[in-house]
């Protein structure tokens, strides 16, 4: 697939240097004092180190995210296998009002009463702001395909597409999700990335994991508000759970 | 309520913490009646497991009485006496459906952490670090058990806690080890480690048709238990070259199956020991794999090596050449308790399996620090410490 690693790196020289040095330091610092807060850092450090050494970012690579391409459009593709019949998985997604239940950045989706192909989407943005748009279903093949697109006038132009197919070994339904965001003309891609999480590819993976958990297990597993020796934390979380 | 919280290396404290609450209609609240300090807890105690937070309630081998159930829980009700495996399983993903519940796709709230490390995440575990879900553990008066319909197994009437407790973790782990060993009648099975996991692997090897069981450890009380309770021939790794001895004992061939029930903190003297300890301290290697290296070298050509001791990250000097050139099968993993508990309870009721024998010491939750220190040092002939709550 790749014949010339020299010209085919998707990381710039500075970014690569930062990855190498930063990755090594972060990894060492994190491993020195193991705790919950350092593990993700340690893993991230290892990843940065790898990325520096490998001269290209495997995540960007796999997801076809190219920076500085195409006016900063952001394209994320993710896949998951759900151990439920295809019709059921499709039906759950087809009701867009279900999406905020597993897509973290979505605050709400309201399907128009008069036309179930039209919907209004509200997402959470930094500093308590929201970003909104109207969307319409542009393709619908029962049990197989859903595609939607924001209508003109959206804060952030975007579209999404989900394909549903049976896993060949009978282990359920494979969903292939593609999301694409185009920031307002001239806005750097970083702005979009901020909106949809620092790591959109990680966020979509987490969203799909929650989708799978709801479809299969009936709930998203949580330890929120559980007990521990961290009394203040327990009290705070329980207050939030009660809606205080 | 009272609970044992982790605060760092060799620092566990019995404290007053808030009672658990239910957060899902599939939850239950259990009054824990007994629990045990597993070898895995010693890895936490020694600071070998990352993603622990100060104040985490630990412990994962337990049984108790149901006090409250959510409205989606149908198989158990308040007052039932139940055994719960050390992990959480959803019961519906492809792995749960085939009985491999420790590979559950849906029970680890922090799956992303282990996905970064391992590619995919196993199930969530009770009291075993935030990477494995961060669920509060069982060294407490009460605990929240998610997915109660999947995780709670009714205790057969007429048996004491001591007779059933190990069905939660040590016994299914040992049984799974023997099953993975793929034993054909009359074959020889060698087991490294005579803690409860190794001892149950020995008992299970007999149940599954082994012709001979050989146990390896260095603690006299444990070797004695392996010989007297589990019918094993024993080797003290401080006194003999284990690989040489095993090959000699098996007509020059090596054991047909080798079960490693020691894990990442294996003991070893000499140069090899010093080498790995330095690397582990510098975190250039996370696990010390002596027993595993020996198991691979001793195993006969075409044999099976089962890794039941816990490993977390990376090891050094892993004998891949021996695995390749002898065509070994390696099987490993966390125990699928949900799959094995019904079978183990049947063995108990048929009088074919005694699960009580590894218990040597009994403590209250207030004595947690002592229980952990004795367990770590393997002093006072301790094999397994149990808390009576
Ligand atoms: N796979 C699972 O699901 C699962 C479940 C429970 C426990 N475990 C793991 O199994 C292992 C054993 O658990 P346990 O409760 O029996 O622990 P334990 O600490 O009581 O027993 C370990 C034994 O290994 C012996 N040992 C140390 N170095 C050795 C060596 N080089 N050769 C032979 N023996 C050696 C020790 O003397 C000790 O008796 C631990 O790693 C634990 O984390 C795994
Ligand atoms: Zn255990
Ligand atoms: Zn599952």
């Amino acid at each position: 697939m790749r014949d010339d690693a020299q010209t085919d790196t998707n990381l710039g020289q500075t970014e690569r240097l930062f990855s190498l040095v930063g990755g090594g330091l972060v990894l060492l610092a994190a491993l020195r004092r193991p705790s919950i807060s350092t593990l993700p850092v340690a893993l991230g450090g290892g990843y940065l180190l790898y990325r520096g050494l490998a001269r290209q970012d495997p995540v960007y690579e796999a997801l076809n995210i190219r920076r500085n391409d195409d006016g900063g459009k952001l394209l994320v593709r993710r896949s998951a296998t759900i151990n439920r019949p295809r019709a059921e998985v499709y039906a759950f997604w087809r009701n867009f009002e279900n999406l905020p239940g597993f897509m973290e950045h979505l605050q709400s989706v309201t399907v128009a009463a008069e036309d179930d192909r039209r919907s209004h989407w509200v997402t959470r943005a930094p500093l308590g702001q929201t970003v909104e748009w109207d969307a319409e279903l542009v393709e619908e093949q029962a049990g197989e395909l859903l595609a939607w697109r924001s209508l003109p006038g959206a804060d952030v132009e975007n579209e999404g597409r989900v394909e549903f197919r049976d896993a060949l070994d009978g282990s359920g339904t494979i969903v292939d999700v593609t999301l694409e965001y185009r920031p307002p003309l001239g806005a750097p891609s970083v702005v979009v990335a901020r909106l949809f999480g620092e790591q959109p590819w990680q966020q979509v993976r987490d969203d799909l994991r929650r989708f799978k958990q709801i479809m299969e297990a009936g709930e998203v597993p949580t330890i929120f508000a559980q007990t521990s020796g961290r009394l203040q934390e327990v009290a705070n979380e329980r207050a939030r759970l009660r809606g205080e | 309520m009272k609970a044992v919280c982790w605060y760092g290396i060799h620092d566990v404290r019995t404290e007053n913490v808030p009672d658990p609450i239910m957060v899902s209609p599939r939850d239950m609240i259990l009054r824990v009646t007994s629990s045990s300090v597993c070898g895995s807890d010693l890895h936490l105690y020694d600071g070998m497991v990352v993603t622990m937070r100060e104040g985490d309630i630990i412990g994962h081998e337990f049984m108790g009485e149901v006090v409250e159930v959510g409205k989606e829980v149908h198989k158990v009700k308040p007052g039932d006496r139940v055994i719960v495996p050390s992990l959480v399983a959803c019961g519906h993903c492809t792995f749960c459906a085939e009985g491999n519940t420790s590979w559950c796709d849906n029970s680890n709230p922090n799956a992303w952490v282990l996905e970064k490390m391992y590619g995919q995440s196993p199930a969530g575990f009770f009291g075993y670090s935030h990477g494995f879900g961060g669920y509060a553990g069982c060294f407490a008066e009460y605990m929240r058990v998610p997915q109660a319909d999947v995780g709670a197994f009714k205790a057969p009437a007429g048996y004491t806690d001591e007779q059933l407790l190990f069905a939660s973790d040590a016994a299914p782990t040992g049984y799974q080890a023997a099953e993975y060993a793929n034993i054909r009648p009359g074959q020889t099975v060698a087991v490294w480690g005579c803690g409860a996991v190794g001892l149950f692997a020995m008992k299970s090897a007999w149940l599954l048709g082994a012709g001979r069981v050989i146990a390896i450890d260095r603690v006299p009380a444990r070797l004695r238990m392996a010989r007297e309770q589990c019918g094993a021939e024993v080797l003290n790794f401080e006194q003999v070259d284990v690989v040489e001895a095993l090959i000699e004992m098996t007509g020059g061939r090596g054991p047909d199956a080798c079960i490693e029930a020691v894990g990442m903190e294996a003991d070893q003297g000499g140069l090899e020991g010093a080498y790995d300890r330095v690397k582990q301290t510098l975190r250039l290697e996370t696990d010390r794999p002596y027993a595993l290296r020996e198991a691979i070298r001793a195993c006969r050509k075409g044999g099976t090596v089962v890794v039941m001791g816990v490993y977390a990250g990376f090891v050094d000097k892993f004998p891949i050449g021996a695995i390749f050139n002898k065509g070994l099968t390696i099987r490993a993993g966390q125990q699928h308790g949900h799959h094995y508990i019904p079978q183990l309870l049947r063995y108990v009721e048929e009088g074919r399996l005694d699960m009580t024998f590894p218990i040597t010491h009994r403590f209250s939750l207030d004595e947690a620090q002592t229980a952990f220190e004795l367990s770590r040092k393997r002093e006072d002939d301790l094999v397994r410490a149990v808390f009576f709550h």
Side-chain angles (χ1 to χ4, degrees):
Chain A
M1 200 178 92
R2 144 150 321 348
D3 42 25
D4 186 357
Q6 205 56 33
T7 56
D8 217 351
T9 54
N10 61 10
L11 285 179
Q13 191 66 23
T14 341
E15 199 178 352
R16 174 163 174 258
L17 249 176
F18 172 78
S19 271
L20 263 175
V21 177
L25 288 179
V26 168
L27 190 66
L28 280 180
L31 290 179
R32 198 158 294 147
R33 196 174 160 279
S35 77
I36 177 66
S37 50
T38 56
L39 181 87
V41 179
L43 296 167
Y47 169 69
L48 281 178
L49 196 65
Y50 169 77
R51 178 174 185 250
L53 291 171
R55 296 176 57 92
Q56 62 200 17
D57 189 315
V59 172
Y60 283 15
E61 182 81 355
L63 301 173
N64 284 337
I65 293 174
R66 300 267 164 172
R67 298 238 158 151
N68 308 322
D69 260 18
D70 217 353
K73 111 178 156 185
L74 189 77
L75 179 79
V76 183
R77 276 208 288 268
R78 279 296 190 197
S79 184
T81 308
I82 320 285
N83 190 22
R84 301 299 306 168
R86 192 149 49 88
E88 189 185 320
V89 177
Y90 176 90
F92 192 85
W93 199 298
R94 172 65 182 80
N95 181 359
F96 288 130
E97 295 193 354
N98 285 330
L99 302 192
F102 60 91
M103 291 187 155
E104 195 154 74
H105 68 288
L106 282 183
Q107 187 170 306
S108 67
V109 177
T110 316
V111 174
E114 65 289 353
D115 177 2
D116 78 347
R117 300 173 65 84
R118 293 206 161 216
S119 47
H120 182 71
W121 301 49
V122 182
T123 75
R124 295 188 188 90
L127 304 170
Q129 292 185 302
T130 57
V131 171
E132 312 194 10
W133 63 81
D134 288 319
E136 71 171 340
L137 200 60
V138 290
E139 258 187 279
E140 176 178 21
Q141 289 167 35
E144 287 175 16
L145 171 72
L146 284 170
W148 64 93
R149 188 163 48 209
S150 60
L151 291 169
D155 289 346
V156 175
E157 251 182 80
N158 67 88
E159 55 193 82
R161 181 183 176 89
V162 191
E163 284 166 48
F164 304 80
R165 59 197 157 93
D166 292 331
L168 293 176
D169 63 354
S171 59
T173 304
I174 298 177
V175 295
D176 292 309
V177 178
T178 309
L179 298 177
E180 193 180 318
Y181 301 98
R182 278 180 303 276
L185 213 63
S189 62
V190 149
V191 170
V192 195
R194 283 274 147 70
L195 263 179
F196 300 101
E198 291 286 320
Q199 296 185 312
W201 50 92
Q202 181 64 43
Q203 182 171 312
V204 178
R205 165 175 275 195
D206 292 342
D207 287 347
L208 277 187
R209 191 190 300 105
R210 280 186 288 267
F211 176 58
K212 178 178 164 71
Q213 287 164 340
I214 291 170
M215 294 304 298
E216 293 184 349
E219 67 183 46
V220 175
T222 181
I223 58 167
F224 191 74
Q226 76 171 1
T227 182
S228 77
R230 298 179 294 277
L231 306 184
Q232 192 54 52
E233 182 185 291
V234 177
N236 293 345
E237 290 187 358
R238 288 185 178 182
R240 267 179 65 196
L241 196 69
R242 290 190 301 266
E244 288 163 18
Chain B
M1 67 167 182
K2 211 176 269 181
V4 180
C5 302
W6 181 97
Y7 281 93
I9 297 176
H10 301 165
D11 183 4
V12 296
R13 303 176 203 161
T14 308
E15 297 189 320
N16 267 314
V17 302
D19 286 349
I21 55 171
M22 305 222 296
V23 295
S24 148
R26 292 168 197 80
D27 287 354
M28 71 175 178
I29 301 292
L30 190 73
R31 184 174 69 80
V32 184
T33 51
S34 4
S35 61
S36 171
V37 179
C38 169
S40 304
D41 296 320
L42 300 177
H43 302 320
L44 297 180
Y45 190 62
D46 291 337
M48 303 306 302
V49 180
V50 288
T51 73
M52 287 296 291
R53 295 181 63 199
E54 291 180 10
D56 281 346
I57 300 171
I58 55 177
H60 59 265
E61 183 158 46
F62 60 102
M63 58 184 294
E65 187 191 307
V66 179
V67 292
E68 190 184 351
V69 299
K71 63 179 190 309
E72 298 287 336
V73 176
H74 307 293
K75 294 190 186 147
V76 288
K77 55 181 191 314
D80 285 350
R81 196 168 154 242
V82 297
I83 299 152
V84 182
S86 51
L87 60 143
V88 183
C90 81
H92 299 286
C93 67
T94 44
F95 296 112
C96 283
E98 65 195 22
N100 293 314
T101 50
S102 75
W103 303 338
C104 178
D105 273 337
N106 298 320
S107 62
N108 184 353
N110 297 321
W112 65 274
V113 175
L114 294 191
E115 281 175 1
K116 288 247 185 320
M117 217 158 146
Y118 301 145
Q120 294 82 22
S121 168
F125 285 76
F126 291 110
Y128 211 69
S129 86
H130 289 262
F132 286 95
Y135 290 109
C138 67
F139 298 156
E141 289 176 89
Y142 296 92
M143 73 186 287
R144 163 188 170 237
V145 175
Q147 300 288 3
D149 262 351
V150 185
F153 292 81
K154 281 198 190 127
Y159 294 89
T160 62
D161 275 20
E162 297 201 3
Q163 290 174 297
L164 301 173
L165 174 61
F166 290 132
S168 165
D169 187 38
T173 306
Y175 193 81
Q176 180 173 317
E179 202 177 86
Y180 279 11
N182 199 17
I183 303 163
R184 289 204 300 276
Q187 286 192 327
T188 301
V189 180
V191 180
W192 278 254
C194 300
V197 171
L199 294 165
F200 280 113
M202 296 169 207
K203 289 226 165 205
S204 307
W206 290 119
L207 285 168
L208 295 174
R212 216 173 151 190
V213 174
I214 304 171
I216 301 126
D217 205 302
R218 67 167 177 187
V219 182
R222 293 175 180 230
L223 288 169
R224 198 181 326 123
M225 199 172 264
R227 193 173 53 235
E228 289 170 5
Q229 304 280 343
C230 305
E233 299 161 61
V234 301
L235 293 176
N236 184 326
F237 68 82
E238 283 190 326
Q239 291 165 5
V240 298
D241 178 322
V242 172
V243 176
E244 276 295 310
L246 285 170
I247 290 175
E248 278 315 302
M249 290 167 81
T250 52
R253 290 171 14 121
D256 299 290
C258 293
I259 294 173
E260 199 277 24
V262 177
M264 60 185 173
E265 292 186 83
D267 299 308
Q268 177 94 332
L271 213 57
E272 192 188 354
Y275 172 85
D276 283 295
R277 261 181 201 278
V278 168
K279 286 211 128 181
Q280 197 172 31
T281 310
L282 294 174
R283 304 259 174 196
L284 292 172
E285 143 178 274
T286 55
D287 310 291
R288 299 197 302 262
Y290 312 120
L292 181 55
R293 286 186 194 129
E294 277 180 4
I296 291 167
R297 272 206 299 141
C299 193
R300 78 149 162 86
K301 288 183 275 186
T304 303
V305 173
V306 181
V307 190
M308 273 295 136
V310 162
Y311 286 85
F314 306 94
V315 300
D316 204 0
K317 304 234 178 322
F318 187 68
I320 184 67
I323 295 173
F324 175 78
N325 288 295
K326 295 199 289 181
L328 301 182
T329 299
I330 310 278
R331 296 216 61 187
Q334 302 279 2
Q335 60 120 354
H336 306 300
H338 306 73
H339 180 62
Y340 294 107
I341 288 175
Q343 172 70 55
L344 290 167
L345 294 178
R346 268 198 302 279
Y347 279 135
V348 170
E349 290 181 287
E350 290 163 10
R352 296 171 68 194
L353 177 65
D354 165 35
M355 292 202 284
T356 319
F357 73 96
I359 301 175
T360 51
H361 289 65
R362 293 160 183 82
F363 297 98
S364 69
L365 286 179
D366 288 318
E367 300 166 301
Q369 182 82 38
T370 314
F372 267 85
E373 269 306 294
L374 270 188
S375 300
R376 173 174 83 86
K377 295 182 179 148
R378 303 185 177 120
E379 282 176 356
D380 195 28
D381 289 354
L382 180 144
V383 177
R384 262 306 177 97
V386 165
F387 290 118
F388 289 99
H389 297 230

